[in-house]
Amino acid sequence: MLALIAAWLAGAGAAEAGDVAALERVWSGARDSSEEVVMSLERGAALWRDLSERRVRTIVAPVGIAWLGAHVLYLEEFIEDDPQEPRRQLLLQLEPVPGEPHAVRARLYTFATPARWTHLNYRPPLLAALARADIVPSAGCDLVLTRAGDQFRGGTRGRHCLDVSSGSAHYLDYQLVISEELYWYHRRVLRQSDGELQQEVIGFNRFEPSEAQLYACRIAWSASGSARELRPLLTLDLYEAGGHARFTTPDGRAFELTLHGRDWPFAVDRDALLLLLQEHGGDSPLATSWAQMGAQQIALELGWLEVRCGSMAPDSDELAQ
């Protein structure tokens, strides 16, 4: 019995380490996002309509800081091709979350003197000089990201991440979805006293929010094969311009889900949305579903597996779910 428990614990530990390594790998890289201000009480609506969209580049790279942990990322974010003036510089310390399967915590640290550490990932001698006194923990702003298929999604929790730019009267709610092809974030500033929304910002990569819709695809699976015993499995986010994601069912079968709209090359004369399911590595789809282009819902029902995708409007509260 002790041997079985030891083996189970070893397997769980390996899975947790695998999730951390997977997040480190998928988060790393350079991404361009189109950022949009949905609303702000601090400035006039007419002004924000003119200035609401801008391009943001986010660079994330692994860095070796042994005293901070085995999995540390450096994040640098700047506006409109101005790398000399980062608007955000962070160190992200990645670690498993005990008791939460496939969840990874990213502990955030800022810099006491940010300008000194610009482009830290490209400057090994400077990195070697970094000491604990040079970084400041962002208390309450930890991100908890949970693995779902080949995506990670999550963000801050509760009202503990204070908006330092406006004092302790407001807190930040920051949500994030990361995969190899998708980088989406949703930042909200809320009043601490009653939770009233003060500002809302979203960012998408690869496409403008007005040009392609993002869909949340909820997947249910039945162990017995009966539709009556379908149970929620996971949720994946896909955009309707060839977005795709992989997932594995509890019985070990690997699948790929793809959503096509304007990019679908074989139906240029048809105004349609197409959802495809195929086994990973398979030559042809296992199932397909059609809907009118711009439809709010599209689904696949196979009895033992069900996929229901619903559009996520950029200004909808569903983005934060």
Side-chain angles (χ1 to χ4, degrees):
M1 179 62 72
L2 290 177
L4 289 175
I5 294 175
W8 180 82
L9 290 174
E16 291 174 352
D19 293 327
V20 172
L23 178 57
E24 181 181 51
R25 182 178 65 254
V26 77
W27 206 341
S28 299
R31 303 175 188 264
D32 288 316
S33 302
S34 176
E35 186 176 272
E36 178 180 339
V37 176
V38 178
M39 67 83 66
S40 176
L41 297 182
E42 297 178 359
R43 307 185 69 175
L47 181 60
W48 276 119
R49 272 198 294 270
D50 294 335
L51 303 178
S52 64
E53 291 188 12
R54 53 189 175 182
R55 191 167 70 86
V56 178
R57 168 155 285 199
T58 304
I59 297 175
V60 180
V63 288
I65 307 176
W67 51 265
L68 196 56
H71 300 277
V72 180
L73 297 172
Y74 171 70
L75 182 149
E76 191 170 282
E77 187 178 85
F78 52 88
I79 305 292
E80 303 289 352
D81 295 320
D82 191 8
Q84 300 309 314
E85 297 291 337
R87 74 170 182 181
R88 193 163 67 137
Q89 294 169 256
L90 297 172
L91 286 176
L92 306 166
Q93 179 189 32
L94 306 183
E95 59 188 24
V97 180
E100 295 190 36
H102 305 300
V104 180
R105 184 183 306 278
R107 298 189 184 276
L108 275 58
Y109 298 85
T110 58
F111 294 88
T113 54
R116 180 186 175 190
W117 308 100
T118 303
H119 314 328
L120 183 62
N121 52 313
Y122 296 123
R123 304 164 71 185
L126 187 63
L127 179 64
L130 185 72
R132 290 186 184 275
D134 297 314
I135 62 174
V136 180
S138 294
C141 295
D142 293 358
L143 304 175
V144 177
L145 303 172
T146 302
R147 190 175 188 175
D150 60 355
Q151 297 182 351
F152 285 85
R153 59 189 298 152
T156 57
R157 293 179 173 180
R159 300 186 176 190
H160 311 297
C161 185
L162 300 183
D163 181 13
V164 294
S165 64
S166 61
S168 60
H170 301 94
Y171 69 95
L172 299 178
D173 174 66
Y174 191 87
Q175 302 298 313
L176 185 64
V177 178
I178 307 172
S179 71
E180 290 184 1
E181 68 166 31
L182 182 64
Y183 188 73
W184 164 87
Y185 56 89
H186 184 212
R187 180 182 184 273
R188 300 193 301 165
V189 178
L190 302 102
R191 196 159 56 197
Q192 186 71 260
S193 60
D194 57 7
E196 183 176 333
L197 184 64
Q198 306 295 298
Q199 187 182 85
E200 185 174 17
V201 177
I202 59 169
F204 294 82
N205 72 311
R206 289 182 176 253
F207 61 92
E208 300 288 345
S210 59
E211 294 178 357
Q213 287 185 302
L214 188 66
Y215 285 74
C217 296
R218 293 169 173 80
I219 302 171
W221 178 78
S222 170
S224 68
S226 170
R228 294 182 178 181
E229 297 183 13
L230 285 167
R231 298 293 182 270
L233 181 62
L234 75 166
T235 299
L236 298 172
D237 291 343
L238 304 177
Y239 62 91
E240 50 89 3
H244 66 276
R246 298 188 182 98
F247 67 96
T248 302
T249 52
D251 59 355
R253 296 177 67 185
F255 297 93
E256 182 166 320
L257 194 64
T258 309
L259 187 63
H260 286 288
R262 296 170 181 83
D263 68 311
W264 185 236
F266 305 112
V268 293
D269 59 338
R270 299 182 63 180
D271 195 18
L273 185 68
L274 178 65
L275 181 65
L276 300 92
L277 176 73
Q278 63 187 93
E279 294 201 61
H280 183 53
D283 296 328
S284 58
L286 184 64
T288 61
S289 178
W290 293 86
Q292 187 73 20
M293 189 65 184
Q296 298 301 300
Q297 303 284 336
I298 186 171
L300 284 169
E301 297 180 356
L302 304 180
W304 57 275
L305 187 76
E306 181 179 272
V307 181
R308 293 190 174 275
C309 302
S311 67
M312 299 166 63
D315 59 349
S316 169
D317 286 342
E318 188 178 359
L319 284 166
Q321 297 301 313

